[in-house]
Amino acid sequence: MLFADVILPLPFAQTALTYIVPDEMGHVVSEGMQVIVPFGKYKLYTGIVSRLHHETPTGFEVKEIHSLVDLKPIVTKNQLSLWEWMSFYYMASIGEVCNAALPSMLKLESETIVSLNKTFSGDESLSPIEAKIVGLLQYSSSAKIEKLGKTVGVKSVLPHIHSLIFKGAVSVNETIRQKLVHRTEKIRTERIIRLNPEMDKDTIDLLLKKHKKQRKLYDDVSSVLTKKNTESCPRKELIREIGVQSYVMDELVAKNILEQFTTDVSRIDKTVEVQRKPYDLNDCQQAALLAIKQSFKQKQVCLLHGVTSSGKTEVYIHLIEEILQNGGQVLYLVPEIALTTQLTHRLRSVFGSKLGVYHSKINDSKRAEIWQKMLSPEPYEIILGVRSSLFLPFSKLGLVIVDEEHETSYKQQDPSPRYHARDTAIVMAQQAGAKTLLGSATPSFESYYNAQTGKYDLVTLSKRFEEIDLPEIRLENVGELRRKRKMKSILSPSLIEQIRQALANGEQAIIFRNRRGFASMLECKSCGWTPKCKRCDVSLTYHKFRNELKCHYCNAAYKVPTECPVCHGTQIDILGQGTEQVEEETANLFPDAVSARMDTDSARGKRSYEKYIFDFEANKIQILIGTQMLAKGLDFENVSVVGILSADSLLNHPDFRSYERGFQMMLQTSGRAGRKNKRGTVVIQASDPSEPIYRFVENNDYHGFFLLQMGERKNFRYPPFSRLLSIVLRHRKETVAEAASQQMADALRQTLSNRVLGPAKPAVSCKQSYYIREILLKLEPGISPQLVRKNIFLAEQLVRGNIQYKNIVISFNVDPM
Ligand code: ADP
Ligand code: ZN
Ligand code: ZN
């Protein structure tokens, strides 16, 4: 008898489940196919066949596969092996990995709710049953799949639903949160200008004879297009660069000398014409490109360490071009959706519709469509995306680029699998026989260490493109300025002066205020009491705009107290200087400039990050204030001043990586300063600038700082000299959390001895009414991962088997950060 192991995209599915393959299915079913299987008493789910075999399972009643969804596999062999690796390495269930990997359209179950697409009009393509379903939905607009099946009177309705989804007739209702995302994701259009190719020179001369302004604009547009080596350019960009009023542009369009058309920038499958060839590389870039190619002959992974604006992206573009010419595919990973926005335009102009973009803000039916296209004979040749795009089915992967590889947002925190996209990408590339290129101006110490020890190759770009100087870095001793009573504002006098000059020159400024430090908190002046969240044991943050207190862990809002509950004092002060306060100050200091604040609070809801980025690029905003988000590799042309406030707070965290992070952030934010022909300025405000880290920042000395830090990492056996694995236990009763974690730690110590630290009470020891304990494992590089996981598994069984610890939640975080 033939059996199939099927992976269900459900978190509790620890392993694939075995089903009988009915005889009539035997000759068509294959690994990677999507099938519908019964699970539990009545429910049907779609799952993925991971293995076919003849080993009769024992110990439970084996059910039959209900039906096939399609006759072609939707998951490749390489994907299945990657899932397996992730499940093992990150200690996640295979169901969790599958759930993270598949777009929700491919994860139907009988409880899923479907609804009719209002815009669908292809009725003639429907089968009789499909037409019946559509008819039903016209009355009730949405319904559970299970109910539809019953009403229509077919036993297996899932395959029909699948077919309707791909015909665009119905879609799956996702969670309310995701629905909101879609609603805010309006289709954005953009006006594009090009010269009318039909117009000859004489006609133009004639038409423009007496119109000086129009003549000048026409000449300017031609020269900008020539300079950019492109045929067309967004209207906004032209107006900005030329500095012309938009009615003149309209006049030229009206005369048909310029052509204007609208494109939809958010649609992902529009066919886009290639606009330019890759730029010629300068000597440094050329040398780097050669070195990377040379390195790939021997090594699996190469690290490109290039200062900000050294032209790394152009080097990638050349490399991508070569891979495509050899028939390979490229995955280009970036840490943030905001970065895909800037890069999409740049890559599209060179690679046109060969490029696909994949991230969580793309709606789900589109994601399913991209997935299907990747399986088709003509897949996207390049995928640009955030971490989830490594789950796509590549068939001939040649290269993975991990840009800004040091970014911590590559690590998924919740839910499981808590994977690191960079590390997973390296494994994925290896399994597919492809190479990995990591790029950063401030590599993670792990990657740089690997490059120093020869595991990876290292290629360096140490000059900015066009030799623009790295910015001048000025340290402001805020402690001293305060003592001398010279700090009249949050911004030091010198920063204020720099910004004033920049604005006078028509340039822009960025002010960086780290939020992870102490954002605005309230404190009772007489007794020092600060309001805390009742469920989470963290100080609440004061939000001036709404005049309320908020918990940043559970989002609970509280009223601002007028009286201290401890001493009944009525003087309650605001501590710290969050971005809101900075915004208020800049508005006062520079009333003629527009300042805007971009952080997770302001960018949620109506204004997305993109909006801020576009407005800043278009010079509608002159001063941009933000949190670490601003340090993430965005590229702005007109910024000449960057201010970093409270730099100390970057460093004061109970985390062994805080200096590495602080250093990366300072160097990265500085990288936003400076423009063609002009050196930028960075003002760093610190209360103790004698701290050695600032010397390395001033000298842009990454290597020196790395060596200094490696000494400490080695002493304390921190990564890269060890691997960390964190085990978190949570329970509603603190006594249970404590006892269970003690028992687990004791059990682990029997085999892993002094590698086990804790259990400890984390800084935030209670979140959403769950008490938390953490056990940390420090593992030397040589130790077998299999052995470690086996011992953890045994200890886990022991704790879970104890009825006193009922309802304990245990989760794992491998390589936590
Ligand atoms: P990085 O990725 O290292 O920060 P970029 O690739 O974004 O640097 O390059 C910085 C700027 O220089 C960009 O505006 C880019 O278009 C330009 N640039 C880089 N290399 C070239 C080149 N070879 N020819 C023309 N322009 C280039
Ligand atoms: Zn008090
Ligand atoms: Zn809370």
Side-chain angles (χ1 to χ4, degrees), residues 514-798:
N514 172 47
R515 225 209 166 103
R516 294 197 320 166
F518 51 97
S520 321
M521 279 169 9
L522 297 186
E523 190 185 71
C524 167
K525 204 155 187 182
S526 31
C527 79
W529 169 82
T530 53
K532 287 191 164 185
C533 177
K534 295 195 174 84
R535 301 158 74 199
C536 304
D537 185 34
V538 289
S539 304
L540 297 169
T541 312
Y542 175 61
H543 287 245
K544 183 166 183 187
F545 179 64
R546 297 174 172 227
N547 193 32
E548 65 182 16
L549 296 171
K550 267 198 139 172
C551 169
H552 277 198
Y553 282 95
C554 72
N555 242 346
Y558 295 81
K559 277 209 183 105
V560 177
T562 49
E563 186 191 281
C564 167
V566 180
C567 75
H568 303 287
T570 49
Q571 253 203 331
I572 296 178
D573 280 1
I574 300 168
L575 278 186
Q577 300 150 355
T579 44
E580 272 188 35
Q581 212 177 335
V582 180
E583 188 184 13
E584 205 175 275
E585 292 256 356
T586 50
N588 285 336
L589 287 165
F590 311 105
D592 298 331
V594 180
S595 13
R597 175 171 58 94
M598 172 166 124
D599 54 30
T600 33
D601 296 317
S602 65
R604 216 175 282 143
K606 53 185 192 306
R607 294 190 100 192
S608 63
Y609 300 141
E610 280 147 57
K611 177 88 177 101
Y612 285 97
I613 293 165
F614 279 114
D615 284 356
F616 195 55
E617 279 179 336
N619 205 3
K620 283 187 201 156
I621 296 170
Q622 285 83 45
I623 305 173
L624 190 60
I625 301 150
T627 52
Q628 39 267 52
M629 210 186 297
L630 286 180
K632 294 190 193 230
L634 294 167
D635 187 13
F636 299 114
E637 279 209 331
N638 193 32
V639 174
S640 60
V641 180
V642 169
I644 300 176
L645 310 186
S646 322
D648 325 74
S649 71
L650 293 170
L651 311 175
N652 300 336
H653 284 282
D655 176 353
F656 74 94
R657 284 194 181 91
S658 65
Y659 272 70
E660 177 185 349
R661 298 265 171 78
F663 183 76
Q664 285 167 340
M665 278 185 197
M666 281 189 265
L667 240 53
Q668 289 281 347
T669 15
S670 313
R672 307 303 131 223
R675 28 174 298 176
K676 294 204 173 89
N677 319 318
K678 190 161 180 221
R679 191 173 181 205
T681 308
V682 177
V683 179
I684 299 179
Q685 298 187 178
S687 30
D688 180 15
S690 67
E691 172 70 58
I693 186 173
Y694 297 115
R695 302 294 84 71
F696 294 99
V697 174
E698 277 174 313
N699 299 326
N700 194 40
D701 182 3
Y702 174 89
H703 189 77
F705 187 64
F706 169 80
L707 291 179
L708 180 77
Q709 283 285 303
M710 279 306 108
E712 291 194 10
R713 296 276 180 98
K714 196 164 187 178
N715 281 342
F716 291 97
R717 286 199 302 130
Y718 277 126
F721 300 97
S722 68
R723 281 179 182 280
L724 301 183
L725 197 161
S726 136
I727 303 171
V728 171
L729 294 94
R730 287 179 295 162
H731 199 276
R732 285 185 183 271
K733 283 204 186 117
E734 183 155 26
T735 46
V736 176
E738 180 65 37
S741 52
Q742 265 314 336
Q743 192 186 11
M744 181 136 184
D746 290 344
L748 286 168
R749 276 202 183 89
Q750 291 187 0
T751 47
L752 298 170
S753 60
N754 66 352
R755 298 177 184 92
V756 184
L757 306 176
K761 211 169 150 175
V764 178
S765 64
C766 177
K767 265 188 222 171
Q768 309 193 341
S769 306
Y770 273 84
Y771 289 88
I772 308 169
R773 291 294 181 273
E774 184 182 11
I775 300 169
L776 193 66
L777 305 186
K778 248 186 207 178
L779 305 164
E780 70 274 17
I783 195 167
S784 144
Q786 280 80 3
L787 184 75
V788 171
R789 280 152 184 76
K790 195 177 129 214
N791 286 318
I792 296 175
F793 182 67
L794 291 174
E796 185 192 357
Q797 294 302 83
L798 190 74

Side-chain angles (χ1 to χ4, degrees), residues 81 170 276 309 448 596 710:
S81 25
V170 304
R276 66 170 174 100
S309 287
Y448 199 72
M710 279 306 108

Side-chain angles (χ1 to χ4, degrees), residues 170-417:
V170 304
S171 54
V172 171
N173 280 15
E174 295 158 69
T175 62
I176 291 169
R177 188 190 59 76
Q178 270 171 315
K179 268 208 295 208
L180 287 175
V181 170
H182 293 170
R183 213 177 299 153
T184 52
E185 186 207 31
K186 288 211 191 70
I187 293 178
R188 223 165 45 75
T189 56
E190 184 169 60
R191 285 178 292 176
I192 307 279
I193 295 285
R194 69 166 183 186
L195 306 181
N196 183 352
E198 319 267 84
M199 281 270 178
D200 58 67
K201 188 174 170 300
D202 294 341
T203 327
I204 292 174
D205 288 345
L206 194 72
L207 283 168
L208 295 181
K209 207 165 173 192
K210 291 209 182 94
H211 302 274
K212 259 195 175 142
K213 272 190 183 165
Q214 293 176 15
R215 176 82 238 178
K216 176 157 187 320
L217 177 59
Y218 176 78
D219 294 339
D220 286 347
V221 171
S222 323
S223 74
V224 168
L225 293 178
T226 321
K227 193 184 83 198
K228 288 188 185 254
N229 193 13
T230 162
E231 276 185 4
S232 62
C233 178
R235 174 179 165 124
K236 214 169 52 191
E237 216 173 298
L238 282 173
I239 292 192
R240 187 175 73 220
E241 278 192 34
I242 301 170
V244 67
Q245 278 168 306
S246 86
Y247 77 89
V248 191
M249 188 80 85
D250 290 333
E251 287 166 354
L252 284 183
V253 173
K255 287 187 173 165
N256 207 15
I257 294 175
L258 294 184
E259 284 183 332
Q260 174 171 304
F261 47 98
T262 311
T263 59
D264 172 354
V265 271
S266 59
R267 285 288 294 199
I268 41 172
D269 61 347
K270 61 172 181 186
T271 23
V272 228
E273 280 169 48
V274 171
Q275 293 169 1
R276 66 170 174 100
K277 282 197 141 15
Y279 297 130
D280 289 333
L281 297 181
N282 67 20
D283 291 347
C284 300
Q285 289 171 317
Q286 193 62 43
L289 178 66
L290 277 177
I292 293 166
K293 288 198 291 189
Q294 202 55 37
S295 124
F296 283 158
K297 287 188 184 145
Q298 280 141 30
K299 299 241 162 94
Q300 186 64 40
V301 183
C302 179
L303 171 64
L304 175 60
H305 178 205
V307 296
T308 46
S309 287
S310 53
K312 293 184 288 297
T313 315
E314 290 304 320
V315 174
Y316 302 155
I317 289 177
H318 279 256
L319 205 56
I320 294 172
E321 200 183 36
E322 245 170 78
I323 300 283
L324 300 197
Q325 268 162 12
N326 294 326
Q329 284 172 308
V330 177
L331 169 61
Y332 191 139
L333 286 175
V334 290
E336 289 281 322
I337 294 183
L339 285 178
T340 60
T341 318
Q342 278 201 337
L343 271 171
T344 304
H345 191 68
R346 208 160 150 187
L347 294 177
R348 279 260 157 80
S349 67
V350 182
F351 299 109
S353 46
K354 292 178 185 164
L355 177 75
V357 182
Y358 193 80
H359 54 64
S360 59
K361 279 210 174 166
I362 284 173
N363 75 40
D364 206 63
S365 55
K366 206 79 227 176
R367 269 189 281 169
E369 216 178 293
I370 295 178
W371 189 287
Q372 296 288 353
K373 183 169 163 72
M374 291 303 281
L375 291 168
S376 76
E378 281 186 346
Y380 286 115
E381 292 170 59
I382 313 162
I383 288 287
L384 169 67
V386 294
R387 59 171 184 257
S388 59
S389 52
L390 58 77
F391 288 117
L392 282 170
F394 291 88
S395 47
K396 37 182 190 169
L397 190 66
L399 173 70
V400 181
I401 295 168
V402 185
D403 198 11
E404 310 292 344
E405 67 86 29
H406 63 279
E407 276 296 339
T408 47
S409 36
Y410 275 127
K411 169 83 174 166
Q412 164 134 328
Q413 300 296 351
D414 264 313
S416 175

